[in-house]
Amino acid sequence: MSRFNSSRLAALEVYTPGEQPQDQPYIKLNTNESPFPPSPGVIKALSQKEVSRLNLYSDPESKRLVETLAAHYGVEPDNVFVSNGSDDILNFCFWAFCEDGAVFPDITYGFYEVYANLHGVPFQKIPVNADFSIDPIAYHNAGKAVVLANPNAQTGLALPLSDIEDIIRSNPDHVVVVDEAYVDFGGESAVELTRRYDNAIVVMTFSKSRTLAGARLGFAIGPAELIADLKKLQYSTNPYNLNRLTQLAGIAALQDQDYYDKASQRIQATRHRVRRALLDLGFSCTDSRSNFLLASSPRIPGGELYRKLKERGILVRHFSDSRIENYVRITIGTDQQMDALLDAIRALLS
Ligand SMILES: *Cc1c(COP(=O)(O)O)cnc(C)c1O
């Protein structure tokens, strides 16, 4: 740290993103990206013409994209906020809605803790059960904002909508943020609840099921008042928060829903097959509703499995958190990629 840096930031622990090594090609199963390219419509939308307009600022309201999202999810445009990745929006949620503190599970998306620390938000981590499931009752009457990924990050386990609704209903004076980054792989969306409760907001991303991680596009759906609060932060930090190309890519992706539905179905079918294969190899493996599996073998520690797979050109994610240090998180790729993974694991175990 330089001697000029704010002392408030001195102790900040940053988020560690999954590695993106450039030294050799890997089978990348470590950051929950899609193995499939964007839809043909998205690639067509990113025209030379739009590139030649990059001298001009983008529409700060992302009007066409917001209208397309609103129509897609059956809400009004003032129920939609868009920004540069859902990380940006989660950051705003911690900034805006957590004056009384925040609660989230001990095993979940690591960024929640970073944002809480960044904004000086006192937080409580509620341990997930031994089987990694979330006890919904533990979030009732929290007295603080509640932040839940559903399906949950790292475990892939999902809560039914009725549990989410009970949590929202029991915290009428605090915002409940539902992070639905993985909802399209088998979860139940809480968008419908945001019409009926003034304290519920859903955050989603184009990075996972809509195969646009590199475009950086996230959105939130919620009551107009909460959306206005997020816009206030947008216009106080970075009004042109979405570039021209990303706005076009997002609109085009929503027009190619069939393509993305099929891609999500393929991921789910592959997930099912790989989970069975891992169970047959003696692994324990969460019943994930996401595009990844959290898996552990009694025969090889998580850290070692991660390293040995990397030596074989396959990247998975390993977390040092003691509760899951014997696990690896494996993104679901193409069938071919997953067969390579299973072959490598069989070779390592034999
Ligand atoms: C991937 C992910 C995000 C971040 O998505 P971006 O839109 O790429 O910033 C947010 N929350 C969870 C739980 C995620 O897994």
Side-chain angles (χ1 to χ4, degrees):
M1 186 180 86
S2 79
R3 65 197 165 93
F4 305 106
N5 195 18
S6 165
S7 57
R8 198 176 62 79
L9 299 179
L12 193 65
E13 282 216 37
V14 302
Y15 176 74
T16 314
E19 59 193 319
Q20 307 285 353
Q22 311 291 329
D23 58 328
Q24 64 169 81
Y26 285 95
I27 294 181
K28 262 195 103 262
L29 307 176
N30 69 325
T31 48
N32 296 347
E33 291 146 320
S34 175
F36 304 121
S39 68
V42 168
I43 291 167
K44 221 169 100 204
L46 303 180
S47 64
Q48 195 63 41
K49 200 163 135 214
E50 193 64 11
V51 172
S52 73
R53 290 195 190 111
L54 285 176
N55 58 316
L56 302 174
Y57 280 113
S58 55
D59 173 13
E61 293 178 46
S62 300
K63 196 160 182 291
R64 272 191 63 216
L65 173 60
V66 164
E67 284 172 359
T68 312
L69 273 167
H72 186 91
Y73 286 95
V75 296
E76 297 301 317
D78 64 0
N79 300 123
V80 178
F81 179 72
V82 290
S83 199
N84 190 241
S86 60
D87 287 339
D88 213 28
I89 301 175
L90 293 165
N91 180 32
F92 285 179
C93 288
F94 274 89
W95 203 354
F97 303 136
C98 297
E99 197 155 53
D100 294 333
V103 289
F104 42 85
D106 62 340
I107 299 177
T108 189
Y109 191 36
F111 236 137
Y112 302 156
E113 186 166 346
V114 175
Y115 290 137
N117 285 325
L118 177 62
H119 297 295
V121 167
F123 62 90
Q124 185 195 347
K125 293 199 274 188
I126 300 183
V128 297
N129 297 323
D131 64 0
F132 298 142
S133 60
I134 286 174
D135 173 15
I137 311 286
Y139 296 84
H140 288 191
N141 310 304
K144 309 173 176 64
V146 175
V147 183
L148 284 174
N150 193 38
N152 195 15
Q154 317 335 346
T155 70
L157 299 178
L159 285 175
L161 204 53
S162 54
D163 285 347
I164 297 288
E165 180 163 10
D166 289 345
I167 292 169
I168 293 166
R169 205 189 293 120
S170 78
N171 288 285
D173 297 324
H174 292 94
V175 171
V176 177
V177 179
V178 188
D179 180 351
E180 296 189 351
Y182 300 108
V183 74
D184 295 334
F185 300 106
E188 281 181 283
S189 178
V191 162
E192 175 247 332
L193 300 178
T194 68
R195 305 154 169 281
R196 289 192 279 121
Y197 296 93
D198 68 354
N199 62 325
I201 189 162
V202 169
V203 180
M204 293 195 243
T205 177
F206 280 65
S207 294
K208 313 278 162 62
S209 62
R210 290 199 173 97
T211 79
L212 284 174
R216 313 303 305 123
L217 178 52
F219 59 103
I221 296 182
E225 289 81 8
L226 295 184
I227 296 299
D229 294 338
L230 297 177
K231 285 184 186 163
K232 195 165 182 181
L233 291 177
Q234 176 200 342
Y235 284 92
S236 306
T237 52
N238 186 9
Y240 306 105
N241 61 347
L242 276 185
N243 72 70
R244 288 176 165 271
L245 299 175
T246 295
Q247 292 186 27
L248 284 186
I251 295 163
L254 291 163
Q255 289 162 349
D256 274 345
Q257 191 56 39
D258 262 9
Y259 173 92
Y260 293 103
D261 287 343
K262 286 200 185 96
S264 293
Q265 279 155 18
R266 276 176 71 179
I267 296 287
Q268 289 175 71
T270 305
R271 177 186 75 209
H272 192 74
R273 178 175 76 81
V274 173
R275 179 166 185 267
R276 287 258 40 111
L278 289 172
L279 292 173
D280 288 346
L281 287 166
F283 277 75
S284 53
C285 194
T286 55
D287 186 14
S288 169
R289 301 297 149 105
S290 312
N291 66 339
F292 59 85
L293 292 166
L294 188 70
S296 165
S297 166
R299 292 166 59 193
I300 181 164
E304 189 182 336
L305 180 56
Y306 156 77
R307 278 191 303 280
K308 294 223 159 120
L309 287 171
K310 187 172 178 183
E311 280 166 22
R312 287 164 188 255
I314 300 174
L315 282 182
V316 297
R317 187 99 192 251
H318 178 248
F319 297 93
S320 53
D321 183 309
S322 62
R323 287 194 75 183
I324 52 173
E325 69 185 352
N326 266 327
Y327 286 76
V328 291
R329 192 193 66 189
I330 305 167
T331 303
I332 304 300
T334 61
D335 278 308
Q336 203 187 2
Q337 290 176 318
M338 301 319 281
D339 287 340
L341 170 89
L342 291 170
D343 286 345
I345 289 176
R346 284 191 194 100
L348 287 176
L349 292 180
S350 71

